[in-house]
Amino acid sequence: MAAMPWPVVELPHQGELERLLDVDAGELAWFADTRGWERQVSEPLRHYHWIVAPKRNGVRLLAAPKPRLKEIQRRLLRHVLTAIPLHPFAHGGVPGRSVRTALAPHAGARIVIRADLEMFFSVIAARRVYGILRQAGYPESVAYTITGLCTTVVPREVWQQVRTPKDFERHRRLGRALATPHLPQGAPTSPALANLVAFSLDRRLAGLARAFGARYTRYVDDLTFSGGNRLRAGRSAFVDGVAKIARDEGFRLVDAKTVVLGSAGRQHALGAVINDHPTLVRSERDALRALLHNCATHGWRSQARGHDAFPDHVLGRIGHVAGLDPVLGAKLRAAYDRIDWTGLR
């Protein structure tokens, strides 16, 4: 191996990679799919379960790795990728960071600017993953194989089932990206690799924000900036600068989702309100309180609509709120604990 800038596990040749992943040479080649079989073979032979999820401005293609490949990717995440440092302003998919840590720096700001990156995972091509692994010190053959294990292409049969939306140009861009080996949205390795590839993007956007006296964080594909009078006065030039840096780094902003929010109105980002501190939007907060009240008054089964796992579902929603707003989360948990979840009412 070349000089290793980070404490990744040493894999000087393919044999060591086979031992790490507990596969033989044939299995390694099969799962790495360096010949692009995923694009052509029928579903039983694919390494991923593909799901077409409709969204407001098109579709999202989710690729869930099948169990054996998923275990391989988890080992790579644990032994290789977690040793490579991320930019401190990357918050999505990072242990110890969350929506709350991404939003807290922006609470109480005079102006908040939100922007979204288009097709974030899909546009991160295999060559960029390979570059990260080579930079980590892995030899060409090992870096090439790991790249194959962590990237994929959309099967022709799956893409042919996707209806063409009104925005044909965006649809065509998505098709080109998915037909090229890229990070699958659904693999355990993809968030870490995407954050590593976006390191330069984060560094440059953080520098641009500092030049305007502003702050910056990124949660997966959501960019958030906040500041005072300097940012407010130069917001047009600032947004142009963000778009240029994104293009330079191989990404693209979703123009319709770039929003400038002043402190006089509701500052909404990542599903939360951040005018004073990160918390749930009022409508969702009131709906959850009403749900807990009805469970306490009429019995939880009156709200469950036949779902026996409803108590766990509610507790999960409260856990999400607690991660965003601990004070509100504690109040909702206290209300939850007062409910008789064992009763048959």
Side-chain angles (χ1 to χ4, degrees):
M1 291 182 63
M4 298 162 55
W6 307 301
V8 296
V9 63
E10 293 193 26
L11 299 169
H13 50 75
Q14 294 282 81
E16 287 297 328
L17 181 59
E18 293 165 17
R19 278 189 280 276
L20 174 70
L21 303 178
D22 193 24
V23 296
D24 59 34
E27 290 173 316
L28 189 63
W30 168 246
F31 285 115
D33 191 23
T34 54
R35 296 185 181 181
W37 291 320
E38 186 82 7
R39 184 117 171 104
Q40 308 171 43
V41 298
S42 60
E43 203 285 330
L45 295 177
R46 295 175 193 158
H47 295 312
Y48 293 87
H49 294 295
W50 289 84
I51 302 168
V52 179
K55 51 187 295 190
R56 187 171 58 183
N57 59 341
V59 296
R60 176 183 291 112
L61 267 73
L62 305 177
K66 293 180 180 179
R68 191 83 187 281
L69 178 58
K70 189 173 185 177
E71 174 55 28
I72 287 172
Q73 291 172 341
R74 282 174 170 164
R75 292 191 184 199
L76 290 171
L77 176 64
R78 184 165 59 249
H79 296 290
V80 175
L81 301 181
T82 55
I84 306 177
L86 305 174
H87 196 280
F89 295 150
H91 291 260
V94 182
R97 304 178 198 173
S98 63
V99 170
R100 178 177 174 77
T101 63
L103 293 179
H106 308 291
R110 297 200 66 177
I111 184 172
V112 172
I113 298 177
R114 295 193 338 244
D116 279 19
L117 298 173
E118 183 181 85
M119 302 179 295
F120 182 57
F121 291 102
S122 303
V123 300
I124 298 179
R127 59 179 175 77
R128 304 186 74 177
V129 174
Y130 175 81
I132 293 290
L133 296 168
R134 290 288 286 146
Q135 188 179 355
Y138 290 116
E140 291 183 6
S141 61
V142 172
Y144 184 68
T145 302
I146 295 177
T147 298
L149 292 168
C150 298
T151 59
T152 191
V153 292
V154 65
R156 287 192 182 92
E157 180 184 342
V158 172
W159 182 246
Q160 289 168 355
Q161 296 172 5
V162 177
R163 296 180 61 182
T164 304
K166 293 180 180 179
D167 189 345
F168 177 74
E169 286 302 316
R170 187 177 188 278
H171 182 74
R172 188 170 65 174
R173 288 196 300 272
L174 177 60
R176 285 200 302 263
L178 293 173
T180 303
H182 64 279
L183 291 181
Q185 187 170 353
T189 44
S190 289
L193 283 167
N195 283 332
L196 292 171
V197 168
F199 189 98
S200 178
L201 172 77
D202 292 333
R203 177 179 54 80
R204 294 182 64 187
L205 289 178
L208 178 67
R210 282 194 299 271
F212 281 78
R215 295 168 292 276
Y216 161 70
T217 59
R218 179 178 57 81
Y219 191 88
V220 192
D221 56 354
D222 291 289
L223 315 178
T224 307
F225 308 89
S226 65
N229 291 335
R230 287 172 61 191
L231 181 61
R232 184 171 61 177
R235 58 186 179 274
S236 180
F238 180 81
V239 170
D240 289 344
V242 171
K244 182 181 184 304
I245 289 173
R247 288 194 302 270
D248 290 347
E249 295 296 329
F251 298 98
R252 181 188 184 107
L253 296 187
V254 181
D255 293 335
K257 290 191 176 181
T258 299
V259 181
V260 179
L261 302 166
S263 57
R266 188 177 72 172
Q267 293 175 330
H268 184 262
L270 297 175
V273 175
I274 57 174
N275 291 70
D276 297 314
H277 65 279
T279 190
L280 208 61
V281 298
R282 179 179 295 276
S283 59
E284 295 180 16
R285 188 165 65 239
D286 291 346
L288 190 49
R289 283 172 171 160
L291 174 65
L292 292 170
H293 172 78
N294 289 337
C295 287
T297 304
H298 306 293
W300 67 268
R301 292 190 183 276
S302 68
Q303 309 298 307
R305 297 180 182 177
H307 297 295
D308 289 336
F310 187 72
D312 292 334
H313 166 73
V314 175
L315 190 59
R317 290 176 62 182
I318 293 174
H320 168 72
V321 176
L324 181 64
D325 184 344
V327 174
L328 175 60
K331 292 178 180 178
L332 294 173
R333 180 56 194 262
Y336 177 93
D337 290 341
R338 290 193 293 269
I339 298 170
D340 178 12
W341 296 101
T342 62
L344 298 178
R345 290 188 298 163

